Amino acid sequence: MCRFVAYVGPPVSLQSLVLDPPLGLLRQSYEPRFQRHGVVNADGFGCGWFDQSVRPEPALYRRDKPIWSDASFRSIAGVISSKAVLAGVRDANTGAAVDDASTPPFCSDGWLFAHNGKIDGFDGSAGVRLWRMLSDRRASGVRGTSDSEVLFGLILDRMDEGTSPAQALRWVIRESLKISSGRFNLVLHDGWKITATCCGDSLYVLEGAESLPGAVVIASEPFNEDPGWQEVPDASLVEGYCGGVVVAPLEVDA
């Protein structure tokens, strides 16, 4: 399992979003409050952020060690600001390697992606069947061993065909559930809009907070005690952008 935070809004530093919040990803790496599966998230961390004035492709920093032990990230996080960020801390599923390539967020074609969950049996027949569904192009882009990266490839395949991000997330959960059980809290970010699902674990939304005016945050759990945090019901799809948040039924009955 993992914990993630996705942000879109006025520029904020990576430090203020990832490291400084009293209940943020740094603390969630060793003491999550709402994580339903797993205890700690010490198998790596990553942060992706956009600067659309420079390039459409986001920057990416990923390490295969706990976030609390990385002095290099702490040294740069305070001087990097962005309007759009996706960061996560990782608790690796059984059988998945602990390495940079298997650590969220994942990046391709201007998209950032993270997955808080697990596909049951991915290290067996379920994983083989999902791998076979990937196009050659997307299969060649998989660098790690996690189920998350295969899901990302399948989502990108659908969007390559013209499917919207929301429908692509719905489709990959539906097709995965035909193969195996699992938990699918997924999040996509293109620098302008966040699309996420709540399917098996905690998910929260913060919109228009006094401390973050004009911003939307979608996260595995609240990173502070702001009363504006709203819990997302299970089996929901969430779309967040600077204009607001929309929560709808996930509708992925297999």
Side-chain angles (χ1 to χ4, degrees):
M1 301 300 289
C2 303
R3 304 276 84 182
F4 63 71
V5 57
Y7 173 91
V8 62
V12 294
S13 71
L14 303 186
Q15 179 173 321
S16 68
L17 187 67
V18 178
L19 298 178
D20 286 350
L23 303 170
L25 286 183
L26 178 58
R27 179 167 173 179
Q28 291 169 35
S29 66
Y30 61 85
E31 192 180 21
R33 296 184 299 159
F34 299 108
Q35 188 164 322
R36 299 175 190 172
H37 306 275
V39 178
V40 297
N41 299 281
D43 294 324
F45 76 97
C47 186
W49 63 96
F50 292 85
D51 186 343
Q52 303 284 5
S53 67
V54 176
R55 65 183 192 194
E57 193 77 11
L60 195 62
Y61 185 101
R62 299 190 295 178
R63 300 299 300 273
D64 61 356
K65 62 183 183 179
I67 189 172
W68 67 75
S69 69
D70 193 310
S72 294
F73 181 70
R74 180 172 290 278
S75 74
I76 66 173
V79 296
I80 297 175
S81 294
S82 175
K83 298 179 180 180
V85 180
L86 175 59
V89 291
R90 184 182 184 219
D91 177 14
N93 292 325
T94 302
V98 178
D99 57 20
D100 292 355
S102 302
T103 300
F106 303 95
C107 177
S108 183
D109 294 350
W111 292 95
L112 290 171
F113 173 78
H115 168 213
N116 170 28
K118 177 184 180 181
I119 299 173
D120 298 324
F122 182 76
D123 55 350
S125 61
V128 172
R129 292 177 65 183
L130 288 168
W131 263 99
R132 288 174 176 170
M133 292 169 60
L134 284 170
S135 67
D136 290 344
R137 177 190 177 196
R138 295 305 177 186
S140 68
V142 176
R143 298 287 181 262
T145 62
S146 72
D147 52 0
S148 305
E149 199 173 5
V150 173
L151 291 176
F152 186 31
L154 291 169
I155 291 165
L156 292 171
D157 271 335
R158 293 297 290 176
M159 292 196 295
D160 288 343
E161 298 171 356
T163 300
S164 70
Q167 288 303 322
L169 293 182
R170 285 186 170 113
W171 178 88
V172 79
I173 296 174
R174 183 182 301 117
E175 295 304 308
S176 297
L177 289 174
K178 291 178 181 177
I179 294 171
S180 180
S181 57
R183 300 181 296 276
F184 300 91
N185 278 36
L186 312 176
V187 58
L188 274 172
H189 202 331
D190 67 354
W192 306 101
K193 184 177 181 180
I194 306 163
T195 307
T197 60
C198 183
C199 186
D201 211 299
S202 61
L203 192 70
Y204 288 79
V205 170
L206 180 65
E207 177 188 5
E210 184 175 339
S211 59
L212 291 169
V216 168
V217 183
I218 300 176
S220 298
E221 56 187 77
F223 55 54
N224 58 25
E225 298 291 358
D226 192 298
W229 285 102
Q230 297 292 320
E231 184 174 7
V232 178
D234 199 35
S236 293
L237 177 89
V238 186
E239 295 178 287
Y241 45 94
C242 288
V245 175
V246 177
V247 180
L250 185 55
E251 297 178 343
V252 294
D253 291 341

